[in-house]
Amino acid sequence: MIDVEKQSRAPTEEKMEGAVDAMVDVLLLPADDDALPPPPILSAEEERRLWRKIDTRLIPVATLLYLVSYLDRGNIGNAKLQGLLTQLDLTGTRYNIALSMYYLFYLLFNIPSNLLLKKLRPSRWLPGLTLAWGVVATLMGLVKTYPQLVGARVCLGIAESGMSPGIYYLLSMWYPRHMLQWRFGLFWGGATFSGAFSGLVAYGISFISGAGGLLGWSWIFIIEGLVTVVASLIAFAVFVDLPATATFLTPEERSFVIHRLKADNSFVGEEEEFRFRHIVEALSDWKIIVGSVSNMAITSPSERFVHFQSLPYLAGRTDIAAVYATALFLPSIINGFGFNTAISQLLTVPSYVIATAVVIVCSTYSDRLKMRAPFVFGGILLTFIGFAINISDVRVGVKYAGTYLIVIGAYEAAPMMIAWCVLTPTPPRVAEEAHPLTTDTRSSRLGNNTVGHYKRGIGIGLQVMIGNIGGLVASNTYRVRDAPRYVPGHVGQLALTGMGLLFVPLTALVYWRGNARRDAVARRRAEESGEKREYTAEEVRAMGERAPGFRYTL
């Protein structure tokens, strides 16, 4: 057994099912690194200043890298309208194959990249990936044949595969989980805003097409690729690693952050040593599988357009299909309404600007309410309605309004799903006056839906990987020959988002029933002899979210 030092105490009362009153203790664990001083006790204002200091160093550069990542993977949708199809002779399904090859290799390298991130320095690995794909994206503007384009898209997919899961994972190692969604909203807002930025750049480039003997599509790749190279150099200069080695913090500040993270993850910390069972557990976890599939529904629309141990992962990735549909095909869809190329590029901008604001606002309220499911369901519902409008025989103005619903819904739901399935905390439910390593462990107060460094890292990589299958779906259902209505593509998106509308409430129901069962067991034990089985710290770490005191986030 281990001793847990009580350095501060914040008594509160919480009634569980109208029967159990308990005191809540705030506990801080000793740091693993003996060189660190004891954690200071900070006032609320001092703690806010510390988190603002961390935000200033992490969030802007994470947002920048995420922005250029989505910019370079989705700008081919803008290039399509600037002569790419004709100059490279992308007839038949060639354009769709070029899109698919990116996502195929992106999927294959997701999880290996996230495992390497734990072993390598994030401050070098992530900027290094950015530099690699920036060079590839720039050179893609110089390709002359279809095979060269496919080869460049393959290299781009490999280089970008580690960015999204890497940033998600890195931020989860810096922030207590109830503080994550707002930060996710900020840097996901960068990905959303990339759609507006790409549309503006494409509109401006349409006026210089032919300069230097290059058509507009070449200049889109070259200019935006060079922006990515500059972003990588900035990231090399300012990006940081983990809290224990953060030189921009004082030793006392590092100690405070480390202790907060340990307390947030069950008061005995999480397993940090890699074991093969972490891969097995992540691949068989219902939260990860169901969340991934649901997220795929969201991703497919957005990129296209520009035990139940598998249920939440499935629920979460259906939204990603929508994200890819919008990113890859939105300019073409709007162009099909009868607008010329330049105006079509420009008309993609407003929806992304509004979506960026919606993402940040919803992320803020999601953290305050400590709930994810209502926001995820609402986003998928908006996306479903938007596709239903666009597949209908209605006026152009109504269809254009429907594209707003698709972009806003898909980009709002996507970051919520990742936070819900693998990163979010549960709100306080019960806090028994028990030893923290008993069956009533206090991880019940700050539980997370996926516990353990490596399991969470694999889970994030798997969720992003399955979600990006939505990119493959979008790439092969929005075909050139189906323009301008793209009925097969819209039907596919309706099917995926419909699946998300089913899985998300089902997942929330399973979580709610699981919490209710555990509450009933805790209440029954409290009414009996009061004897509790004690666990060692190692046993609690190994159980993760299966610990008796764990509660799911709804």
Side-chain angles (χ1 to χ4, degrees):
M1 305 296 294
I2 66 171
D3 295 327
V4 179
E5 181 181 358
K6 300 181 180 179
Q7 295 198 356
S8 63
R9 197 176 188 83
T12 62
E13 292 186 1
E14 182 177 10
K15 188 175 293 184
M16 184 188 74
E17 305 287 335
V20 180
D21 291 328
M23 301 298 290
V24 177
D25 296 335
V26 178
L27 305 179
L28 297 175
L29 297 183
D32 289 336
D33 189 350
D34 295 334
L36 288 176
I41 298 177
L42 303 181
S43 66
E45 179 58 31
E46 289 173 331
E47 186 173 351
R48 278 194 294 270
R49 285 200 298 268
L50 172 58
W51 292 118
R52 282 198 298 268
K53 182 178 181 180
I54 295 172
D55 289 342
T56 302
R57 191 63 180 266
L58 277 177
I59 301 303
V61 66
T63 301
L64 177 63
L65 296 187
Y66 216 58
L67 185 153
V68 296
S69 171
Y70 268 78
L71 195 66
D72 289 328
R73 80 176 66 174
N75 58 11
I76 193 171
N78 300 100
K80 179 185 177 184
L81 298 185
Q82 298 284 352
L84 176 68
L85 296 183
T86 55
Q87 187 168 9
L88 297 188
D89 190 28
L90 301 185
T91 57
T93 59
R94 284 186 166 190
Y95 176 74
N96 303 86
I97 292 173
L99 298 182
S100 300
M101 295 307 292
Y102 167 90
Y103 291 105
L104 177 61
F105 284 85
Y106 186 100
L107 297 176
L108 293 175
F109 285 86
N110 262 157
I111 293 178
S113 180
N114 235 28
L115 291 175
L116 283 173
L117 182 68
K118 180 72 177 176
K119 294 295 185 182
L120 304 175
R121 294 181 60 187
S123 63
R124 294 294 175 263
W125 178 246
L126 295 179
L129 291 178
T130 308
L131 178 60
W133 92 63
V135 172
V136 172
T138 303
L139 296 177
M140 195 159 58
L142 303 178
V143 300
K144 302 300 182 184
T145 65
Y146 165 66
Q148 290 175 358
L149 176 66
V150 171
R153 293 291 293 180
V154 167
C155 294
L156 189 67
I158 294 173
E160 281 198 34
S161 64
M163 179 53 60
S164 295
I167 291 182
Y168 279 121
Y169 178 68
L170 180 63
L171 292 189
S172 76
M173 303 297 291
W174 268 94
Y175 293 99
R177 287 154 293 166
H178 71 282
M179 299 171 64
L180 271 175
Q181 182 56 57
W182 182 72
R183 273 82 182 176
F184 280 178
L186 289 179
F187 79 80
W188 183 265
T192 309
F193 187 73
S194 70
F197 182 77
S198 186
L200 287 173
V201 171
Y203 175 73
I205 288 176
S206 66
F207 296 102
I208 65 168
S209 181
L214 299 175
L215 294 183
W217 70 267
S218 292
W219 284 114
I220 289 175
F221 290 143
I222 292 171
I223 291 175
E224 295 183 1
L226 290 175
V227 169
T228 299
V229 171
V230 172
S232 71
L233 299 179
I234 295 173
F236 273 118
V238 301
F239 219 33
V240 297
D241 294 312
L242 300 180
T245 58
T247 56
F248 74 98
L249 298 177
T250 66
E252 291 76 14
E253 290 171 335
R254 292 200 298 271
S255 180
F256 179 87
V257 172
I258 291 171
H259 281 68
R260 277 295 306 274
L261 292 171
K262 284 180 176 291
D264 186 52
N265 281 306
S266 79
F267 296 97
V268 293
E270 299 179 281
E271 283 196 299
E272 299 185 22
E273 182 180 349
F274 176 76
R275 294 183 175 88
F276 181 76
R277 67 176 176 81
H278 294 147
I279 298 178
V280 176
E281 289 175 357
L283 294 178
S284 62
D285 192 312
W286 69 278
K287 301 181 303 299
I288 294 174
I289 302 302
V290 175
S292 297
V293 173
S294 297
N295 198 35
M296 181 181 66
I298 301 173
T299 310
S300 174
S302 59
E303 290 254 4
R304 205 68 87 239
F305 221 46
V306 148
H307 232 159
F308 283 108
Q309 288 220 332
S310 306
L311 190 59
Y313 209 35
L314 297 175
R317 300 316 288 179
T318 53
D319 58 334
I320 296 299
V323 172
Y324 291 139
T326 56
L328 298 177
F329 293 97
L330 182 58
S332 296
I333 291 172
I334 294 178
N335 184 243
F337 295 162
F339 301 104
N340 63 38
T341 298
I343 296 301
S344 297
Q345 304 281 22
L346 200 58
L347 287 176
T348 64
V349 174
S351 59
Y352 285 109
V353 173
I354 296 174
T356 301
V358 170
V359 167
I360 295 174
V361 170
C362 289
S363 295
T364 301
Y365 280 97
S366 176
D367 268 352
R368 288 181 182 178
L369 298 174
K370 293 182 171 64
M371 296 190 72
R372 308 293 187 232
F375 295 94
V376 174
F377 185 84
I380 297 177
L381 181 60
L382 284 180
T383 304
F384 185 88
I385 294 173
F387 279 115
I389 291 174
N390 271 271
I391 203 174
S392 305
D393 187 14
V394 296
R395 291 176 300 172
V396 168
V398 178
K399 288 191 173 187
Y400 180 61
T403 66
Y404 279 68
L405 298 181
I406 296 171
V407 174
I408 292 171
Y411 280 91
E412 182 271 340
M416 295 279 185
M417 180 53 64
I418 292 181
W420 187 29
C421 291
V422 292
L423 296 173
T424 54
T426 182
R429 299 182 57 86
V430 68
E432 299 83 351
E433 283 255 41
H435 192 287
L437 300 183
T438 65
T439 58
D440 296 312
T441 174
R442 300 186 182 201
S443 64
S444 63
R445 294 200 290 115
L446 291 167
N448 157 309
N449 292 349
T450 301
V451 177
H453 288 187
Y454 278 100
K455 182 180 178 182
R456 183 160 65 248
I458 295 168
I460 294 172
L462 184 62
Q463 187 165 13
V464 172
M465 182 184 74
I466 294 180
N468 279 276
I469 293 177
L472 287 171
V473 175
S475 300
N476 292 283
T477 55
Y478 282 84
R479 299 167 300 186
V480 175
R481 66 173 179 265
D482 296 322
R485 292 192 62 190
Y486 295 103
V487 172
H490 290 340
V491 169
Q493 296 309 312
L494 285 171
L496 284 171
T497 51
M499 183 170 59
L501 291 175
L502 173 65
F503 280 145
V504 168
L506 185 56
T507 299
L509 176 62
V510 173
Y511 280 161
W512 177 81
R513 292 187 62 184
N515 287 345
R517 284 196 299 269
R518 296 185 185 199
D519 287 346
V521 170
R523 189 164 55 250
R524 185 170 62 250
R525 285 175 176 167
E527 293 171 352
E528 293 173 354
S529 62
E531 295 182 1
K532 299 178 175 63
R533 176 185 173 185
E534 294 186 346
Y535 294 94
T536 65
E538 290 73 18
E539 288 175 324
V540 174
R541 293 191 189 104
M543 283 188 290
E545 65 266 24
R546 296 187 301 275
F550 181 86
R551 298 297 183 272
Y552 291 110
T553 298
L554 300 181

